Short mmCIF file of all heavy atoms in Angstrom, two decimals:
data_model
loop_
_atom_site.label_atom_id
_atom_site.label_comp_id
_atom_site.label_asym_id
_atom_site.label_seq_id
_atom_site.Cartn_x
_atom_site.Cartn_y
_atom_site.Cartn_z
N MET A 133 -11.21 49.09 -42.28
CA MET A 133 -12.65 49.40 -42.44
C MET A 133 -13.48 48.64 -41.41
O MET A 133 -14.36 49.18 -40.78
CB MET A 133 -13.07 49.02 -43.87
CG MET A 133 -14.50 49.48 -44.19
SD MET A 133 -14.74 51.28 -43.98
CE MET A 133 -16.51 51.35 -43.93
N LEU A 134 -13.14 47.34 -41.25
CA LEU A 134 -13.89 46.53 -40.28
C LEU A 134 -13.64 47.04 -38.86
O LEU A 134 -14.57 47.13 -38.05
CB LEU A 134 -13.45 45.05 -40.41
CG LEU A 134 -14.20 44.09 -39.49
CD1 LEU A 134 -15.67 43.99 -39.92
CD2 LEU A 134 -13.57 42.71 -39.53
N LEU A 135 -12.40 47.40 -38.60
CA LEU A 135 -12.05 47.90 -37.26
C LEU A 135 -12.81 49.20 -36.98
O LEU A 135 -13.32 49.41 -35.88
CB LEU A 135 -10.53 48.14 -37.19
CG LEU A 135 -10.00 48.50 -35.80
CD1 LEU A 135 -10.09 47.28 -34.90
CD2 LEU A 135 -8.57 48.98 -35.89
N LYS A 136 -12.91 50.03 -37.99
CA LYS A 136 -13.63 51.30 -37.86
C LYS A 136 -15.10 51.03 -37.52
O LYS A 136 -15.67 51.68 -36.64
CB LYS A 136 -13.53 52.05 -39.19
CG LYS A 136 -13.40 53.55 -39.02
CD LYS A 136 -13.01 54.16 -40.37
CE LYS A 136 -13.49 55.58 -40.48
NZ LYS A 136 -13.18 56.14 -41.81
N PHE A 137 -15.67 50.03 -38.23
CA PHE A 137 -17.07 49.68 -38.01
C PHE A 137 -17.28 49.15 -36.58
O PHE A 137 -18.23 49.53 -35.89
CB PHE A 137 -17.50 48.64 -39.04
CG PHE A 137 -18.90 48.15 -38.82
CD1 PHE A 137 -19.98 48.94 -39.18
CD2 PHE A 137 -19.14 46.91 -38.26
CE1 PHE A 137 -21.28 48.50 -38.98
CE2 PHE A 137 -20.43 46.47 -38.05
CZ PHE A 137 -21.50 47.26 -38.42
N LEU A 138 -16.33 48.30 -36.17
CA LEU A 138 -16.44 47.73 -34.82
C LEU A 138 -16.32 48.82 -33.76
O LEU A 138 -17.04 48.82 -32.76
CB LEU A 138 -15.34 46.69 -34.61
CG LEU A 138 -15.59 45.32 -35.27
CD1 LEU A 138 -14.39 44.42 -35.07
CD2 LEU A 138 -16.84 44.67 -34.67
N THR A 139 -15.40 49.76 -33.99
CA THR A 139 -15.23 50.87 -33.05
C THR A 139 -16.50 51.70 -32.96
O THR A 139 -16.96 52.05 -31.87
CB THR A 139 -14.06 51.77 -33.49
OG1 THR A 139 -12.92 50.94 -33.72
CG2 THR A 139 -13.75 52.80 -32.45
N LEU A 140 -17.09 51.95 -34.13
CA LEU A 140 -18.33 52.73 -34.17
C LEU A 140 -19.44 51.99 -33.42
O LEU A 140 -20.17 52.58 -32.61
CB LEU A 140 -18.73 52.96 -35.63
CG LEU A 140 -19.89 53.94 -35.84
CD1 LEU A 140 -19.44 55.36 -35.52
CD2 LEU A 140 -20.39 53.87 -37.29
N ALA A 141 -19.53 50.68 -33.65
CA ALA A 141 -20.56 49.88 -32.99
C ALA A 141 -20.35 49.90 -31.47
O ALA A 141 -21.30 50.02 -30.70
CB ALA A 141 -20.51 48.45 -33.51
N ALA A 142 -19.08 49.82 -31.06
CA ALA A 142 -18.77 49.83 -29.64
C ALA A 142 -19.16 51.17 -29.02
O ALA A 142 -19.74 51.22 -27.93
CB ALA A 142 -17.28 49.56 -29.43
N VAL A 143 -18.84 52.24 -29.74
CA VAL A 143 -19.17 53.59 -29.22
C VAL A 143 -20.68 53.74 -29.09
O VAL A 143 -21.18 54.24 -28.08
CB VAL A 143 -18.58 54.67 -30.17
CG1 VAL A 143 -19.18 56.03 -29.84
CG2 VAL A 143 -17.07 54.71 -30.05
N ILE A 144 -21.41 53.26 -30.09
CA ILE A 144 -22.87 53.36 -30.03
C ILE A 144 -23.42 52.54 -28.86
O ILE A 144 -24.29 52.99 -28.12
CB ILE A 144 -23.48 52.89 -31.38
CG1 ILE A 144 -23.16 53.93 -32.47
CG2 ILE A 144 -24.99 52.71 -31.25
CD1 ILE A 144 -23.53 53.46 -33.87
N ALA A 145 -22.85 51.32 -28.70
CA ALA A 145 -23.32 50.46 -27.61
C ALA A 145 -23.05 51.11 -26.26
O ALA A 145 -23.91 51.11 -25.38
CB ALA A 145 -22.62 49.11 -27.69
N ILE A 146 -21.86 51.68 -26.09
CA ILE A 146 -21.51 52.32 -24.82
C ILE A 146 -22.43 53.51 -24.57
O ILE A 146 -22.94 53.70 -23.46
CB ILE A 146 -20.03 52.75 -24.83
CG1 ILE A 146 -19.13 51.51 -24.77
CG2 ILE A 146 -19.72 53.69 -23.67
CD1 ILE A 146 -17.66 51.80 -25.06
N ALA A 147 -22.66 54.30 -25.62
CA ALA A 147 -23.53 55.47 -25.48
C ALA A 147 -24.94 55.03 -25.10
O ALA A 147 -25.59 55.63 -24.23
CB ALA A 147 -23.54 56.26 -26.77
N TRP A 148 -25.41 53.93 -25.73
CA TRP A 148 -26.77 53.43 -25.47
C TRP A 148 -26.91 52.99 -24.02
O TRP A 148 -27.85 53.38 -23.31
CB TRP A 148 -27.05 52.27 -26.44
CG TRP A 148 -28.35 51.59 -26.21
CD1 TRP A 148 -28.55 50.38 -25.63
CD2 TRP A 148 -29.66 52.09 -26.52
NE1 TRP A 148 -29.88 50.09 -25.58
CE2 TRP A 148 -30.59 51.13 -26.11
CE3 TRP A 148 -30.12 53.28 -27.10
CZ2 TRP A 148 -31.96 51.31 -26.27
CZ3 TRP A 148 -31.48 53.44 -27.26
CH2 TRP A 148 -32.38 52.47 -26.85
N TYR A 149 -25.92 52.17 -23.58
CA TYR A 149 -25.99 51.70 -22.20
C TYR A 149 -25.79 52.85 -21.22
O TYR A 149 -26.39 52.89 -20.14
CB TYR A 149 -24.96 50.60 -21.97
CG TYR A 149 -25.43 49.26 -22.48
CD1 TYR A 149 -24.83 48.65 -23.56
CD2 TYR A 149 -26.51 48.62 -21.87
CE1 TYR A 149 -25.27 47.44 -24.05
CE2 TYR A 149 -26.96 47.41 -22.34
CZ TYR A 149 -26.34 46.82 -23.44
OH TYR A 149 -26.79 45.64 -23.91
N GLY A 150 -24.95 53.81 -21.62
CA GLY A 150 -24.72 54.98 -20.77
C GLY A 150 -25.99 55.78 -20.57
O GLY A 150 -26.35 56.14 -19.45
N PHE A 151 -26.71 55.97 -21.67
CA PHE A 151 -27.98 56.72 -21.57
C PHE A 151 -28.99 55.98 -20.70
O PHE A 151 -29.68 56.59 -19.88
CB PHE A 151 -28.57 56.92 -22.97
CG PHE A 151 -28.10 58.18 -23.63
CD1 PHE A 151 -27.45 58.16 -24.85
CD2 PHE A 151 -28.30 59.42 -23.02
CE1 PHE A 151 -27.01 59.32 -25.47
CE2 PHE A 151 -27.86 60.58 -23.62
CZ PHE A 151 -27.22 60.53 -24.85
N LYS A 152 -29.04 54.65 -20.88
CA LYS A 152 -29.98 53.87 -20.08
C LYS A 152 -29.65 53.97 -18.61
O LYS A 152 -30.52 54.12 -17.75
CB LYS A 152 -29.95 52.40 -20.54
CG LYS A 152 -31.06 52.09 -21.53
CD LYS A 152 -30.87 50.75 -22.20
CE LYS A 152 -31.22 49.61 -21.29
NZ LYS A 152 -31.28 48.35 -22.05
N LEU A 153 -28.34 53.89 -18.32
CA LEU A 153 -27.89 53.95 -16.92
C LEU A 153 -28.20 55.31 -16.32
O LEU A 153 -28.73 55.42 -15.21
CB LEU A 153 -26.38 53.67 -16.89
CG LEU A 153 -25.80 53.34 -15.52
CD1 LEU A 153 -26.28 51.96 -15.07
CD2 LEU A 153 -24.29 53.35 -15.57
N VAL A 154 -27.87 56.36 -17.08
CA VAL A 154 -28.11 57.72 -16.60
C VAL A 154 -29.61 57.94 -16.38
O VAL A 154 -30.03 58.53 -15.38
CB VAL A 154 -27.54 58.76 -17.59
CG1 VAL A 154 -28.06 60.16 -17.27
CG2 VAL A 154 -26.01 58.73 -17.56
N GLY A 155 -30.42 57.42 -17.31
CA GLY A 155 -31.86 57.57 -17.18
C GLY A 155 -32.37 56.90 -15.92
O GLY A 155 -33.21 57.44 -15.20
N ARG A 156 -31.82 55.70 -15.64
CA ARG A 156 -32.26 54.97 -14.46
C ARG A 156 -31.86 55.71 -13.19
O ARG A 156 -32.63 55.85 -12.25
CB ARG A 156 -31.67 53.56 -14.47
CG ARG A 156 -32.54 52.59 -13.73
CD ARG A 156 -32.26 51.16 -14.14
NE ARG A 156 -30.86 50.83 -13.95
CZ ARG A 156 -30.19 50.01 -14.74
NH1 ARG A 156 -30.78 49.45 -15.75
NH2 ARG A 156 -28.94 49.73 -14.50
N ILE A 157 -30.61 56.20 -13.17
CA ILE A 157 -30.14 56.94 -11.99
C ILE A 157 -30.96 58.21 -11.80
O ILE A 157 -31.35 58.56 -10.69
CB ILE A 157 -28.64 57.25 -12.14
CG1 ILE A 157 -27.83 55.97 -12.04
CG2 ILE A 157 -28.18 58.25 -11.08
CD1 ILE A 157 -26.38 56.12 -12.42
N GLY A 158 -31.23 58.91 -12.93
CA GLY A 158 -32.01 60.13 -12.85
C GLY A 158 -33.40 59.88 -12.30
O GLY A 158 -33.91 60.65 -11.49
N GLN A 159 -33.99 58.76 -12.72
CA GLN A 159 -35.33 58.42 -12.24
C GLN A 159 -35.31 58.13 -10.74
O GLN A 159 -36.15 58.61 -9.99
CB GLN A 159 -35.82 57.19 -13.00
CG GLN A 159 -37.33 57.14 -13.13
CD GLN A 159 -37.75 56.04 -14.08
OE1 GLN A 159 -37.06 55.03 -14.19
NE2 GLN A 159 -38.84 56.21 -14.76
N GLN A 160 -34.29 57.36 -10.31
CA GLN A 160 -34.18 57.07 -8.89
C GLN A 160 -33.96 58.35 -8.09
O GLN A 160 -34.55 58.53 -7.02
CB GLN A 160 -33.00 56.11 -8.65
CG GLN A 160 -33.32 54.68 -9.01
CD GLN A 160 -32.10 53.78 -8.93
OE1 GLN A 160 -30.99 54.27 -8.71
NE2 GLN A 160 -32.29 52.51 -9.12
N HIS A 161 -33.11 59.23 -8.66
CA HIS A 161 -32.83 60.49 -7.99
C HIS A 161 -34.11 61.31 -7.84
O HIS A 161 -34.36 61.91 -6.80
CB HIS A 161 -31.79 61.26 -8.79
CG HIS A 161 -31.28 62.49 -8.11
ND1 HIS A 161 -30.58 62.45 -6.93
CD2 HIS A 161 -31.38 63.79 -8.44
CE1 HIS A 161 -30.28 63.67 -6.57
NE2 HIS A 161 -30.75 64.52 -7.46
N LYS A 162 -34.93 61.33 -8.94
CA LYS A 162 -36.16 62.09 -8.91
C LYS A 162 -37.12 61.52 -7.87
O LYS A 162 -37.76 62.26 -7.12
CB LYS A 162 -36.81 62.07 -10.30
CG LYS A 162 -37.41 63.40 -10.69
CD LYS A 162 -37.57 63.49 -12.18
CE LYS A 162 -38.93 63.00 -12.62
NZ LYS A 162 -39.12 63.12 -14.08
N GLN A 163 -37.20 60.17 -7.82
CA GLN A 163 -38.08 59.54 -6.83
C GLN A 163 -37.63 59.88 -5.42
O GLN A 163 -38.43 60.15 -4.55
CB GLN A 163 -38.06 58.02 -7.03
CG GLN A 163 -38.94 57.58 -8.18
CD GLN A 163 -38.79 56.11 -8.48
OE1 GLN A 163 -37.91 55.46 -7.93
NE2 GLN A 163 -39.64 55.59 -9.33
N LYS A 164 -36.29 59.86 -5.23
CA LYS A 164 -35.76 60.17 -3.91
C LYS A 164 -36.07 61.62 -3.55
O LYS A 164 -36.47 61.91 -2.42
CB LYS A 164 -34.24 59.94 -3.91
CG LYS A 164 -33.62 60.02 -2.52
CD LYS A 164 -32.12 59.92 -2.60
CE LYS A 164 -31.47 60.08 -1.23
NZ LYS A 164 -31.82 61.35 -0.59
N LEU A 165 -35.90 62.53 -4.53
CA LEU A 165 -36.19 63.94 -4.29
C LEU A 165 -37.64 64.13 -3.90
O LEU A 165 -37.96 64.86 -2.97
CB LEU A 165 -35.88 64.76 -5.54
CG LEU A 165 -34.43 65.24 -5.69
CD1 LEU A 165 -34.29 66.05 -6.96
CD2 LEU A 165 -34.01 66.08 -4.50
N THR A 166 -38.54 63.45 -4.63
CA THR A 166 -39.96 63.56 -4.33
C THR A 166 -40.24 63.07 -2.91
O THR A 166 -40.99 63.68 -2.17
CB THR A 166 -40.77 62.72 -5.34
OG1 THR A 166 -40.35 63.08 -6.65
CG2 THR A 166 -42.25 62.99 -5.20
N ARG A 167 -39.58 61.97 -2.55
CA ARG A 167 -39.75 61.43 -1.19
C ARG A 167 -39.26 62.44 -0.16
O ARG A 167 -39.90 62.68 0.85
CB ARG A 167 -38.98 60.12 -1.06
CG ARG A 167 -39.89 58.93 -0.93
CD ARG A 167 -39.22 57.68 -0.38
NE ARG A 167 -37.82 57.53 -0.64
CZ ARG A 167 -37.31 56.88 -1.67
NH1 ARG A 167 -38.09 56.33 -2.55
NH2 ARG A 167 -36.01 56.75 -1.81
N ASP A 168 -38.05 63.01 -0.42
CA ASP A 168 -37.47 63.96 0.52
C ASP A 168 -38.35 65.20 0.66
O ASP A 168 -38.54 65.71 1.76
CB ASP A 168 -36.07 64.36 0.06
CG ASP A 168 -35.07 63.23 0.28
OD1 ASP A 168 -35.46 62.23 0.92
OD2 ASP A 168 -33.93 63.34 -0.19
N GLU A 169 -38.86 65.68 -0.49
CA GLU A 169 -39.73 66.85 -0.44
C GLU A 169 -40.97 66.58 0.39
O GLU A 169 -41.39 67.39 1.20
CB GLU A 169 -40.15 67.24 -1.86
CG GLU A 169 -39.16 68.17 -2.53
CD GLU A 169 -39.53 68.42 -3.99
OE1 GLU A 169 -40.72 68.29 -4.32
OE2 GLU A 169 -38.62 68.73 -4.77
N LYS A 170 -41.54 65.39 0.20
CA LYS A 170 -42.73 65.02 0.95
C LYS A 170 -42.40 64.94 2.44
O LYS A 170 -43.13 65.44 3.28
CB LYS A 170 -43.25 63.67 0.45
CG LYS A 170 -44.66 63.37 0.91
CD LYS A 170 -45.10 62.01 0.38
CE LYS A 170 -46.48 61.65 0.91
NZ LYS A 170 -46.54 61.59 2.38
N ALA A 171 -41.26 64.33 2.75
CA ALA A 171 -40.85 64.22 4.14
C ALA A 171 -40.62 65.59 4.75
O ALA A 171 -41.01 65.84 5.89
CB ALA A 171 -39.58 63.37 4.23
N ALA A 172 -39.98 66.47 3.96
CA ALA A 172 -39.72 67.82 4.45
C ALA A 172 -41.02 68.57 4.69
O ALA A 172 -41.18 69.25 5.70
CB ALA A 172 -38.85 68.58 3.45
N ARG A 173 -41.97 68.41 3.75
CA ARG A 173 -43.27 69.07 3.89
C ARG A 173 -44.00 68.55 5.12
O ARG A 173 -44.56 69.30 5.89
CB ARG A 173 -44.10 68.82 2.63
CG ARG A 173 -44.47 70.09 1.93
CD ARG A 173 -45.51 69.96 0.86
NE ARG A 173 -45.83 68.64 0.40
CZ ARG A 173 -45.31 68.08 -0.70
NH1 ARG A 173 -44.43 68.73 -1.41
NH2 ARG A 173 -45.67 66.89 -1.07
N ASP A 174 -43.97 67.23 5.28
CA ASP A 174 -44.63 66.63 6.43
C ASP A 174 -43.95 67.06 7.72
O ASP A 174 -44.58 67.26 8.73
CB ASP A 174 -44.60 65.10 6.32
CG ASP A 174 -45.50 64.61 5.20
OD1 ASP A 174 -46.28 65.43 4.68
OD2 ASP A 174 -45.41 63.43 4.84
N GLY A 175 -42.61 67.20 7.65
CA GLY A 175 -41.85 67.51 8.85
C GLY A 175 -42.07 68.94 9.32
O GLY A 175 -42.06 69.18 10.51
N VAL A 176 -42.28 69.87 8.41
CA VAL A 176 -42.37 71.28 8.77
C VAL A 176 -43.52 71.53 9.74
O VAL A 176 -43.36 72.21 10.74
CB VAL A 176 -42.54 72.15 7.51
CG1 VAL A 176 -42.96 73.56 7.88
CG2 VAL A 176 -41.23 72.19 6.73
N ALA A 177 -44.66 70.91 9.46
CA ALA A 177 -45.84 71.16 10.27
C ALA A 177 -45.71 70.55 11.66
O ALA A 177 -46.26 71.06 12.62
CB ALA A 177 -47.08 70.61 9.57
N ASP A 178 -44.97 69.46 11.75
CA ASP A 178 -44.93 68.71 13.00
C ASP A 178 -43.59 68.87 13.73
O ASP A 178 -43.15 67.99 14.43
CB ASP A 178 -45.16 67.23 12.73
CG ASP A 178 -46.50 66.99 12.06
OD1 ASP A 178 -47.42 67.77 12.34
OD2 ASP A 178 -46.61 66.06 11.27
N THR A 179 -42.96 70.03 13.56
CA THR A 179 -41.66 70.22 14.19
C THR A 179 -41.81 71.13 15.39
O THR A 179 -42.46 72.17 15.32
CB THR A 179 -40.66 70.82 13.19
OG1 THR A 179 -40.67 70.06 12.02
CG2 THR A 179 -39.28 70.81 13.77
N VAL A 180 -41.23 70.74 16.47
CA VAL A 180 -41.26 71.56 17.68
C VAL A 180 -39.83 71.93 18.05
O VAL A 180 -38.90 71.16 17.84
CB VAL A 180 -41.91 70.81 18.85
CG1 VAL A 180 -43.41 70.72 18.64
CG2 VAL A 180 -41.31 69.45 19.05
N GLN A 181 -39.68 73.12 18.61
CA GLN A 181 -38.36 73.55 19.01
C GLN A 181 -38.14 73.23 20.48
O GLN A 181 -38.97 73.57 21.33
CB GLN A 181 -38.21 75.05 18.79
CG GLN A 181 -36.78 75.52 18.99
CD GLN A 181 -36.63 76.99 18.70
OE1 GLN A 181 -37.61 77.71 18.66
NE2 GLN A 181 -35.41 77.45 18.51
N CYS A 182 -37.05 72.56 20.73
CA CYS A 182 -36.71 72.21 22.10
C CYS A 182 -36.33 73.48 22.85
O CYS A 182 -35.46 74.22 22.42
CB CYS A 182 -35.56 71.21 22.11
SG CYS A 182 -35.00 70.82 23.77
N PRO A 183 -36.97 73.79 23.98
CA PRO A 183 -36.67 75.02 24.72
C PRO A 183 -35.29 74.99 25.37
O PRO A 183 -34.76 76.04 25.73
CB PRO A 183 -37.78 75.07 25.78
CG PRO A 183 -38.23 73.66 25.92
CD PRO A 183 -38.03 72.99 24.59
N VAL A 184 -34.72 73.85 25.55
CA VAL A 184 -33.43 73.75 26.21
C VAL A 184 -32.29 73.91 25.22
O VAL A 184 -31.37 74.70 25.42
CB VAL A 184 -33.30 72.40 26.95
CG1 VAL A 184 -31.92 72.26 27.58
CG2 VAL A 184 -34.40 72.29 28.01
N CYS A 185 -32.37 73.20 24.10
CA CYS A 185 -31.23 73.16 23.19
C CYS A 185 -31.50 73.88 21.88
O CYS A 185 -30.61 73.95 21.04
CB CYS A 185 -30.85 71.72 22.90
SG CYS A 185 -32.26 70.72 22.39
N ASP A 186 -32.71 74.44 21.70
CA ASP A 186 -33.08 75.17 20.49
C ASP A 186 -33.05 74.30 19.24
O ASP A 186 -33.04 74.82 18.13
CB ASP A 186 -32.17 76.39 20.28
CG ASP A 186 -32.47 77.48 21.30
OD1 ASP A 186 -33.56 77.43 21.89
OD2 ASP A 186 -31.62 78.35 21.52
N ALA A 187 -33.02 73.02 19.41
CA ALA A 187 -32.99 72.13 18.25
C ALA A 187 -34.42 71.85 17.81
O ALA A 187 -35.32 71.75 18.64
CB ALA A 187 -32.28 70.83 18.59
N TYR A 188 -34.61 71.74 16.51
CA TYR A 188 -35.94 71.41 15.99
C TYR A 188 -36.09 69.91 15.90
O TYR A 188 -35.28 69.22 15.31
CB TYR A 188 -36.14 72.05 14.62
CG TYR A 188 -36.37 73.53 14.74
CD1 TYR A 188 -35.31 74.43 14.63
CD2 TYR A 188 -37.64 74.03 15.01
CE1 TYR A 188 -35.51 75.79 14.76
CE2 TYR A 188 -37.85 75.40 15.13
CZ TYR A 188 -36.79 76.26 15.01
OH TYR A 188 -36.99 77.61 15.15
N ILE A 189 -37.12 69.40 16.53
CA ILE A 189 -37.34 67.97 16.60
C ILE A 189 -38.69 67.66 16.01
O ILE A 189 -39.66 68.38 16.24
CB ILE A 189 -37.29 67.49 18.08
CG1 ILE A 189 -35.99 67.95 18.75
CG2 ILE A 189 -37.45 65.99 18.18
CD1 ILE A 189 -36.15 68.17 20.22
N ALA A 190 -38.77 66.60 15.25
CA ALA A 190 -40.05 66.15 14.72
C ALA A 190 -40.92 65.70 15.88
O ALA A 190 -40.50 64.92 16.73
CB ALA A 190 -39.84 65.00 13.74
N GLU A 191 -42.13 66.24 15.93
CA GLU A 191 -42.98 66.05 17.09
C GLU A 191 -43.35 64.58 17.31
O GLU A 191 -43.52 64.14 18.43
CB GLU A 191 -44.26 66.88 16.94
CG GLU A 191 -44.93 67.17 18.27
CD GLU A 191 -46.10 68.14 18.10
OE1 GLU A 191 -46.65 68.21 16.99
OE2 GLU A 191 -46.42 68.81 19.07
N ASP A 192 -43.49 63.86 16.18
CA ASP A 192 -43.91 62.46 16.34
C ASP A 192 -42.75 61.56 16.73
O ASP A 192 -42.96 60.43 17.12
CB ASP A 192 -44.58 61.96 15.05
CG ASP A 192 -43.71 62.23 13.84
OD1 ASP A 192 -42.78 63.04 13.95
OD2 ASP A 192 -43.96 61.61 12.79
N ILE A 193 -41.53 62.06 16.64
CA ILE A 193 -40.38 61.25 17.02
C ILE A 193 -39.95 61.61 18.43
O ILE A 193 -39.76 60.77 19.29
CB ILE A 193 -39.20 61.46 16.04
CG1 ILE A 193 -39.61 60.99 14.64
CG2 ILE A 193 -37.98 60.70 16.50
CD1 ILE A 193 -38.60 61.38 13.57
N LYS A 194 -39.82 62.89 18.70
CA LYS A 194 -39.44 63.42 20.01
C LYS A 194 -38.22 62.72 20.59
O LYS A 194 -38.26 62.09 21.65
CB LYS A 194 -40.62 63.32 20.99
CG LYS A 194 -41.61 64.44 20.77
CD LYS A 194 -42.53 64.62 21.98
CE LYS A 194 -43.42 65.83 21.82
NZ LYS A 194 -44.79 65.64 22.16
N SER A 195 -37.15 62.78 19.86
CA SER A 195 -35.93 62.14 20.33
C SER A 195 -35.16 63.09 21.22
O SER A 195 -35.12 64.30 20.98
CB SER A 195 -35.06 61.73 19.14
OG SER A 195 -34.72 62.88 18.36
N ASN A 196 -34.58 62.56 22.22
CA ASN A 196 -33.79 63.36 23.16
C ASN A 196 -32.54 63.87 22.47
O ASN A 196 -31.89 63.14 21.74
CB ASN A 196 -33.41 62.50 24.36
CG ASN A 196 -32.86 63.34 25.50
OD1 ASN A 196 -31.80 63.95 25.35
ND2 ASN A 196 -33.53 63.35 26.61
N CYS A 197 -32.23 65.15 22.70
CA CYS A 197 -31.10 65.75 21.99
C CYS A 197 -29.80 65.50 22.72
O CYS A 197 -28.74 65.84 22.23
CB CYS A 197 -31.32 67.24 21.82
SG CYS A 197 -31.61 68.08 23.39
N GLY A 198 -29.83 64.94 23.91
CA GLY A 198 -28.60 64.62 24.60
C GLY A 198 -28.39 65.43 25.87
O GLY A 198 -27.68 65.01 26.77
N LYS A 199 -29.07 66.59 25.98
CA LYS A 199 -28.92 67.42 27.17
C LYS A 199 -29.66 66.76 28.35
O LYS A 199 -30.70 66.14 28.17
CB LYS A 199 -29.49 68.80 26.91
CG LYS A 199 -28.77 69.49 25.75
CD LYS A 199 -28.10 70.77 26.20
CE LYS A 199 -27.14 71.25 25.15
NZ LYS A 199 -27.48 72.51 24.56
N ALA A 200 -29.14 66.99 29.51
CA ALA A 200 -29.69 66.32 30.69
C ALA A 200 -31.11 66.81 30.99
O ALA A 200 -31.97 66.02 31.37
CB ALA A 200 -28.79 66.57 31.89
N ASP A 201 -31.36 68.12 30.80
CA ASP A 201 -32.68 68.64 31.12
C ASP A 201 -33.56 68.79 29.88
O ASP A 201 -34.50 69.55 29.86
CB ASP A 201 -32.54 70.01 31.82
CG ASP A 201 -31.55 70.91 31.10
OD1 ASP A 201 -30.93 70.44 30.14
OD2 ASP A 201 -31.43 72.07 31.51
N CYS A 202 -33.25 68.05 28.83
CA CYS A 202 -34.08 68.07 27.63
C CYS A 202 -35.41 67.40 27.91
O CYS A 202 -35.44 66.30 28.45
CB CYS A 202 -33.35 67.34 26.50
SG CYS A 202 -34.34 67.27 25.00
N PRO A 203 -36.50 68.07 27.64
CA PRO A 203 -37.80 67.49 27.94
C PRO A 203 -38.22 66.36 27.00
O PRO A 203 -39.22 65.71 27.24
CB PRO A 203 -38.76 68.69 27.82
CG PRO A 203 -38.09 69.59 26.84
CD PRO A 203 -36.61 69.40 27.03
N TYR A 204 -37.48 66.18 25.93
CA TYR A 204 -37.89 65.17 24.95
C TYR A 204 -37.17 63.84 25.14
O TYR A 204 -36.11 63.79 25.70
CB TYR A 204 -37.67 65.70 23.53
CG TYR A 204 -38.52 66.92 23.26
CD1 TYR A 204 -37.94 68.17 23.13
CD2 TYR A 204 -39.91 66.79 23.18
CE1 TYR A 204 -38.73 69.29 22.89
CE2 TYR A 204 -40.69 67.92 22.95
CZ TYR A 204 -40.10 69.15 22.82
OH TYR A 204 -40.89 70.25 22.60
ZN1 LIG B 531 -33.46 69.19 23.67
#
């Protein structure tokens, strides 16, 4: 009977901590998604297509794509 009670208590404790952990991860994931969405929204307006390599580059970064005649 005592062992049964201890097992039950352990299961409840694991479930409790599991829920807390999942909730924390879910919250972080949601925050990350919100950040990514914002970045994607911000990026869409400021993206330019490189005429040489057809790659889309964020206008405020303008990183060279590696081609010799890349204007960025
Ligand atoms: Zn390029």
Side-chain angles (χ1 to χ4, degrees):
M133 187 58 197
L134 183 67
L135 187 70
K136 217 168 153 183
F137 176 76
L138 282 176
T139 309
L140 189 70
V143 167
I144 290 171
I146 289 168
W148 175 255
Y149 280 112
F151 270 122
K152 264 168 75 169
L153 195 70
V154 167
R156 207 160 57 214
I157 290 170
Q159 208 170 31
Q160 283 173 354
H161 188 64
K162 220 159 91 178
Q163 281 173 351
K164 189 186 177 302
L165 273 181
T166 309
R167 249 198 331 267
D168 287 352
E169 272 174 25
K170 195 180 176 301
R173 240 192 347 262
D174 291 349
V176 167
D178 301 328
T179 309
V180 287
Q181 189 177 17
C182 176
V184 177
C185 51
D186 289 341
Y188 286 93
I189 307 150
E191 202 172 25
D192 51 344
I193 297 170
K194 280 198 174 135
S195 59
N196 192 296
C197 55
K199 299 241 167 116
D201 46 355
C202 178
Y204 298 110

